[in-house]
Structures are given as C-alpha cells and as structure tokens.
C-alpha cells in the first residue's frame, strides 16, 4: 500500500515538475508577444549594406595599368584583361576588361591587391538575371554605379547592428540617419585634452 | 482465430542524402528490426569538392576564399587554420592587436556555430521554436562580421600575419552591446529547453560514449569534453593569446547527448565572456581610440608600433610556402580542426591535408545508434554536430 502511495506521489511530483518547466518554456514564447518582429520586409524595407560590403565590382577603365595582379590573386583567374603593348610609348594599352559575375565569388582579393585602385566594391548584391550571360560585365557595365538604398524613395532603409547607436539592438527602432556608435577621433582627442587640462 | 504476425523481417532503409532533418547530404543505410536500429552505415562523399587538391595549385591568398566553404557555420576557424599553417611554417609574426581581433572573431564565430547547432539539434528532437529564436542572435553576429569583414559568411578576413583590415568605427561598442544582450538570451534558451521534460526524456542517457572510448575514437571538441575529458586546444596549444584571458574549459561527465548540450551552451557563455575580455584588453582599444592616439602623438608615436597594427606585413601575391612540413590545429566549435601542410618553397603548398573535426566525430555514429530507436538517430546525429561541407571537403 505504502509502495503504491509513494508511486502515486512520485508520479504527481513528476507531473507538477513537467507542468512547471513546460510553463516556464511557454513563458519565454509568450514573452515574445511584447517584442517587435525583427524581420526585414524586403523589398519594402532593405538593410543598408555595410561600408566594407563586397558587392558587384566597379572598374575604372582609365586607372587600369593592365598589370594583371587581379588575375593572379583571383582564386580562378577570372578577370579578363585584354591589352596590347604599345612599343612607341613602352606601355601596355588596355583594350577591354571584363568580369563574369556568374562565376565571381566576391572574395575581394582583386580589389585588395589592385595597385592603382581601379577596382572597387559596390553595394549591389541583387544580380539575378534570366540569362547567365548577362552577368558577364564588360568595362562599360563594370563602370556603372548601383542605386543607393538610402536614396530609393520606395524603400525604407534599415541599418545593421554594427551601425546602430550604442545601446540600440535593432534596426527598426532607430532612424537610419541617427548617429552610430563610436566617437570620432577628434572628439576623443578633445576629451583627453580636457582631461589633462583639468 | 487468425493471429497477426508481429515478428517482422529485418528491414534496410535509406535515410538521406536528402532527408529533411539530415544535416547536409549525408546518407545513412540503416538496418532495422522493427523500430530498433541494428546497424547503421554512413555513406559520405556527396559534397566532395576536392578541397585538398584545389589547395595544391592555389597560392594561400587565392585559396583563402575557398576555406570558408569547409565548415560554413564556423567560417572564421577555417580561415584561422589556413593562415596559421603557413604562418607557423614561415615564422611570420602576428601583432598583438591582430591576435586580439582574431580571438574576438573566432569566439563570435564559435557562438554562431553553437547557436545554429542548438537550433537544429532541438529541431531534430521536435522543438521548432528555438530554431527561429536562435537565428535572431546569429544574425546579429553576422551583422558584426559584415561590418568588419564585408561579408556575412564568406569573410576572407584573416591574412598571413594578421587580418585584412582593422575593426570599423564603433564596432567595439556594438560588439560589447551584443555580448551584454546575448548572455540573458542564453538564459532564455536554457529556460526554454534545458529542463523541458520532453527534451530531457529524449536526450538523457542517449548516445552515451565513455571517457576511454571517446579518446580511442579520436573524438574532439564538445564530443570529447562531454565525456568528461578536459581537453581544449586553446589551453593545450596556447595559440593566439588565449593565455591572457581568464576562462575555463567547459566540460561535463555525462557522455550523452545532454552532456554535449550542456557543454555547448556553457561554451557559448564562456565565449561571450572571452569576447568581452578581448574587447577590454585589446592593445589600442577601439579603432577610433587608436586613431585619436595616433593623431595626437604624431607620426612617430608608439601607437604606430608593431603591437598596435592589424597586420605585420601585407602578404605579397607571391608569398612562398617554405620547405618543410608540419601539423597545425585550432579548437573549432566542432573539435580539432587541423591542417597538415607540406611546403617545398613554392607559392603553392605541396600537400594540404585537412583534419576536419566533423569527419572524425562522425565515425562514432554507427556505434552510438546501434540498439537505439530509429527516432533517436536524428537526436544522436544532431548532438554529434557535423557539417557535410567539412566532412566531405
């Protein structure tokens, strides 16, 4: 009899425990009712790509010296540099330059190693096309600039975590023009000067 | 009276390679006796991309963008090992500031990896909610990565001798914000999952592997630490500057899925603490502070010395891997990630053998699932934490 009772007791205790912990878990889920969604409603809202974002590559024809460093550091030697050596001026003359973005992995090595900064990264990331050959950009297409998210009247720009003001954790909460975290070096200098004077 | 025949023949079923809760393209040939697993044979190679062979005709700089595709959930670690191996072979010094930046990135990456593991693990068991919560914090980490490196996952940030660029303005502040925000969130996950009776019944005593066996199978990472072995390469190998931080190896004695869960959750907390310490101790502090000091002290200031650089010397596109061979390893979130490198004074490495933790940890799976129920396979596989990208390479 006593064994039976202790069994019932243990079972009841177990049930209460289970109910308690499931309730605790549900507490967490229901707590989310007072939180705003953090999802970004693309394409009505768009995240502002970071300053270092490695999007479609921009190329300036006149800066290029046809040195082909971009080809050498590229994992698959992707950029096509077509030049002709001009024996009169003893210089290479660039005829055309192209990168196929259907193959590019946007690692940014070419941009990093370009000696004349002819290459740079844009914030363009939506490169989908119906025909993959359209992604093979020649030097004219490479010279175009993308539209900025912040200047598109149809889009609400939202900043990513690293660019929010100190304390803000979510891009929806703050206007994207509000100042981001981190003081300017000049401000820090002024502060430290005040500190030494006082 | 007709009796229903309940004794069934053994059945061989095929799980994967496209099973919805299978992690990547892993195929398991499972022999079943009713619901009991008699045997299980993993079939690998569906994601084999010749990563080791590709390395043999790429310079390190060319190869760096590839390595984030090994373990695409703990991307920073693959980059770390790819630069550590030639760095050690060529004796390239790393500035202290660069080393701190690396540690911050590595630990953030560890948190991101463990977070996704937590989400998929409990999703395998049947709890869908944490999977979505987990992405919230993971996205924040990726936001931080994007600001510092330019990409959310395929960073290409580590370089031989340091990192590609210093941290951006305000990054240190936001990273601190994240750490303070993240710790209560781990509590939240724990409230949601740890004591949940359904979760407990599913994982307690499941997939147990003992201390001796764990060592003999060559397990590493949380698999090993969950079996009661205090083995963490960050403490053992003293790489980067982990010795300057105050932290403990997280371990547990259970040896089962629950123990591995505990180890990983505790590791997330520990990593957060390590990131906070790194942010405080970093030579020069935040980038804006470093800039201010440099502007104030002029061109010949001590703030321009080696310690405060983010890279010792930018590697040339023709960086040669010196002759010699050695094995370098780091403690990745899944375990010991190593590279056995043979150089022959050429821009290309002669051999680039990768020792992925997932591959070694996966071999213990058949033994763990034998005798279990078929529904437990997913739970055990989830607790092993494999990424097919690095298993098949």
């Amino acid at each position: 009899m006593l064994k039976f009772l202790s069994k019932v007791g243990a079972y009841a205790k177990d049930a209460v425990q289970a109910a308690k912990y499931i309730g605790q878990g549900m507490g967490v889920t229901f707590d989310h009712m007072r939180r705003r969604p953090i999802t970004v409603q693309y394409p009505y809202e768009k995240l502002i790509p970071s300053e270092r974002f490695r999007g479609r590559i921009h190329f300036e024809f006149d800066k290029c010296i046809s040195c082909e460093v971009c080809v050498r550091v590229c994992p698959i030697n992707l950029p096509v540099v077509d030049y002709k050596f001009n024996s009169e001026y003893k210089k290479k003359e660039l005829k055309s330059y192209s990168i196929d973005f259907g193959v590019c992995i946007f690692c940014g090595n070419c941009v990093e190693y370009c000696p004349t900064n002819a290459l740079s990264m844009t914030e363009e990331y939506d490169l989908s096309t119906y025909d993959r050959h359209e992604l093979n950009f020649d030097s004219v297409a490479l010279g175009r600039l993308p539209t900025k998210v912040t200047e598109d009247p149809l889009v609400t720009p939202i900043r990513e975590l690293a660019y929010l003001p100190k304390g803000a954790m979510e891009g929806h909460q703050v206007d994207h023009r509000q100042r981001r975290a981190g003081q300017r070096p000049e401000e820090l200098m002024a502060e430290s000067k005040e500190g030494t004077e006082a | 009276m007709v009796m229903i025949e309940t004794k069934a023949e053994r059945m061989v079923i095929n799980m994967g390679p496209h099973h919805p809760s299978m992690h990547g393209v892993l195929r398991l040939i499972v022999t079943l006796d009713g619901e009991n697993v008699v045997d299980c044979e993993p079939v690998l190679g569906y994601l084999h991309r010749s990563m080791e062979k590709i390395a043999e005709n790429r310079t390190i700089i060319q190869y760096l963008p590839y390595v984030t595709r090994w373990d695409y959930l703990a991307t920073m670690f693959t980059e770390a090992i790819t630069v550590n191996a030639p760095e050690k072979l060529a004796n390239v010094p790393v500035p202290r500031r660069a080393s701190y930046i690396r540690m911050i990135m590595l630990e953030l990456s560890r948190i991101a990896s463990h977070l996704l593991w937590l989400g998929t693990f409990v999703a395998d068991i049947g709890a869908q909610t944490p999977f979505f919560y987990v992405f919230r914090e993971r996205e924040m980490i990726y936001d931080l990565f994007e600001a510092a490196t330019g990409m959310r996952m395929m960073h290409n940030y580590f370089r031989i001798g340091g990192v590609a660029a210093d941290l951006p303005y305000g990054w240190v502040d936001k990273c601190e914000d994240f750490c303070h925000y993240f710790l209560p969130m781990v509590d939240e996950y724990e409230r949601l999952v740890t004591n949940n009776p359904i979760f407990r019944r599913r994982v307690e005593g499941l997939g147990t592997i003992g201390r001796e066996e764990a060592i003999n199978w060559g397990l590493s990472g949380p698999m090993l630490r969950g079996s009661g072995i205090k083995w963490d390469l960050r403490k053992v190998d003293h790489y980067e500057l982990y010795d300057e931080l105050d932290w403990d190896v997280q371990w547990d004695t259970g040896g089962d899925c629950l123990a591995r869960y505990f180890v990983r959750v505790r590791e997330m907390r520990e990593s957060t603490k390590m990131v906070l310490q790194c942010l405080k101790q970093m030579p020069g502090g935040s980038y804006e502070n470093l800039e201010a000091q440099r502007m104030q002290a002029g061109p010949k200031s001590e703030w321009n010395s080696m310690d405060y650089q983010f890279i010792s010397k930018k590697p040339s596109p023709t960086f040669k891997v010196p002759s010699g061979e050695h094995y370098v390893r780091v403690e990745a979130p899944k375990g010991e990630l190593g590279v056995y490198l043979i150089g022959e004074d050429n821009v290309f490495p002669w051999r680039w053998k990768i020792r992925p933790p997932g591959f070694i940890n996966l071999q213990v799976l058949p033994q763990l699932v034998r005798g279990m129920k078929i529904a437990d396979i997913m739970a055990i596989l989830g607790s092993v934490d494999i990424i097919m990208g690095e298993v098949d390479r």
Side-chain angles (χ1 to χ4, degrees), chain A residues 10-198:
Chain A
Y11 182 82
K13 207 176 140 198
D14 232 33
V16 171
Q17 281 276 314
K20 182 187 154 195
Y21 287 124
I22 287 178
Q24 192 184 51
M26 294 308 273
V28 175
T29 17
F30 281 121
D31 189 58
H32 280 74
M33 299 221 296
R34 59 170 188 88
R35 303 188 198 179
R36 303 279 316 270
I38 56 155
T39 35
V40 175
Q41 299 300 322
Y42 190 89
Y44 308 107
E45 297 174 334
K46 280 181 187 173
L47 286 173
I48 306 172
S50 79
E51 295 150 2
R52 293 181 183 175
F53 184 76
R54 303 203 301 265
R56 197 259 295 159
I57 292 162
H58 181 267
F59 174 71
E60 279 178 79
F61 193 89
D62 298 333
K63 277 189 182 175
C64 181
I65 54 167
S66 319
C67 67
E68 292 189 295
V69 155
C70 46
V71 185
R72 261 189 291 152
V73 294
C74 177
I76 46 168
N77 305 350
L78 181 64
V80 180
V81 190
D82 182 19
Y83 64 86
K84 202 182 158 208
F85 187 74
N86 187 326
S87 45
E88 198 186 328
Y89 300 111
K90 301 253 168 53
K91 265 186 181 160
K92 290 179 196 166
E93 268 176 4
L94 183 65
K95 289 204 292 195
S96 72
Y97 187 96
S98 67
I99 297 176
D100 187 350
F101 289 109
V103 194
C104 178
I105 58 168
F106 304 97
C107 66
N109 276 354
C110 50
V111 177
E112 193 177 321
Y113 281 93
C114 181
T116 57
N117 287 340
L119 291 163
S120 53
M121 288 296 200
T122 66
E123 55 190 88
E124 189 181 346
Y125 52 84
D126 38 0
L127 289 159
S128 48
T129 50
Y130 283 106
D131 178 10
R132 69 193 163 89
H133 302 291
E134 282 172 34
L135 289 171
N136 195 348
F137 281 39
D138 67 351
S139 40
V140 179
L142 281 169
R144 293 196 185 109
L145 285 168
T147 48
K148 284 176 89 173
V149 182
T150 39
E151 282 164 10
D152 193 339
L154 290 172
V155 170
T156 314
I158 288 163
R159 279 188 297 183
E160 290 172 343
L161 175 67
Y163 296 100
L164 297 175
K166 178 115 184 107
M169 291 309 289
E170 220 273 293
H172 291 272
Q173 293 163 0
V174 277
D175 187 83
H176 75 275
R177 280 158 298 203
Q178 218 172 311
R179 220 189 113 163
R180 62 150 129 156
Q183 282 173 295
R184 303 270 318 147
E186 304 88 70
E187 293 167 344
L188 281 167
M189 277 167 77
E191 262 177 40
S192 68
K193 265 181 197 149
E194 270 168 35
T196 48
E197 274 161 23

Side-chain angles (χ1 to χ4, degrees), chain B residues 49 190 319:
Chain B
R49 295 156 295 174
E190 286 234 75
F319 174 85

Side-chain angles (χ1 to χ4, degrees), chain B residues 152-288:
Chain B
R152 301 175 81 79
M153 291 182 86
M154 306 308 171
H155 317 295
N156 194 15
Y157 187 57
F158 283 46
R159 290 287 181 280
I160 294 167
V163 290
D166 213 318
L167 301 170
Y169 280 97
W171 197 90
V172 168
D173 280 359
K174 288 318 284 180
C175 191
E176 243 165 37
D177 272 359
F178 169 77
C179 293
H180 294 308
Y181 165 89
F182 181 63
L183 284 173
M185 285 301 156
V186 185
D187 295 338
E188 204 176 273
Y189 298 138
E190 286 234 75
R191 250 180 289 148
L192 197 60
V193 176
T194 307
N195 281 320
N196 187 304
I198 306 165
F199 173 76
R200 278 294 183 115
R201 297 260 163 94
R202 283 299 302 277
V203 296
E204 241 170 335
L206 188 76
T208 313
I209 183 153
R211 201 187 136 88
E212 294 294 310
E213 253 180 315
I215 297 173
N216 289 345
W217 279 97
L219 302 182
S220 55
M223 284 289 283
L224 188 68
R225 287 195 287 277
S227 297
I229 298 148
K230 229 175 153 178
W231 175 266
D232 192 311
L233 295 176
R234 289 172 287 179
K235 284 269 196 237
V236 176
D237 275 11
H238 310 282
Y239 65 95
E240 300 298 352
L241 295 169
Y242 281 109
D243 287 349
E244 291 181 14
L245 305 179
D246 174 30
W247 64 285
D248 296 310
V249 177
Q250 296 304 320
W251 61 303
D252 207 284
T253 48
D256 54 357
C257 293
L258 187 67
R260 278 165 232 150
Y261 163 82
F262 281 140
V263 169
R264 289 200 175 95
V265 171
R266 285 187 209 132
E267 259 180 24
M268 285 201 274
R269 290 180 204 278
E270 206 63 28
S271 290
T272 320
K273 282 175 201 155
M274 288 157 84
V275 173
L276 279 171
Q277 286 177 38
C278 283
L279 293 170
K280 282 224 174 61
Q281 296 177 20
M282 185 158 56
S286 65
Y287 180 61
E288 49 270 31

Side-chain angles (χ1 to χ4, degrees), chain B residues 119-140:
Chain B
T120 49
F121 176 57
V122 290
D124 282 345
I125 287 169
Q128 289 295 328
T129 317
F131 185 73
F132 295 106
Y133 292 174
V134 143
F135 273 93
R136 182 181 51 203
E137 276 73 49
R138 203 175 87 105
E139 283 299 304
M140 287 178 177

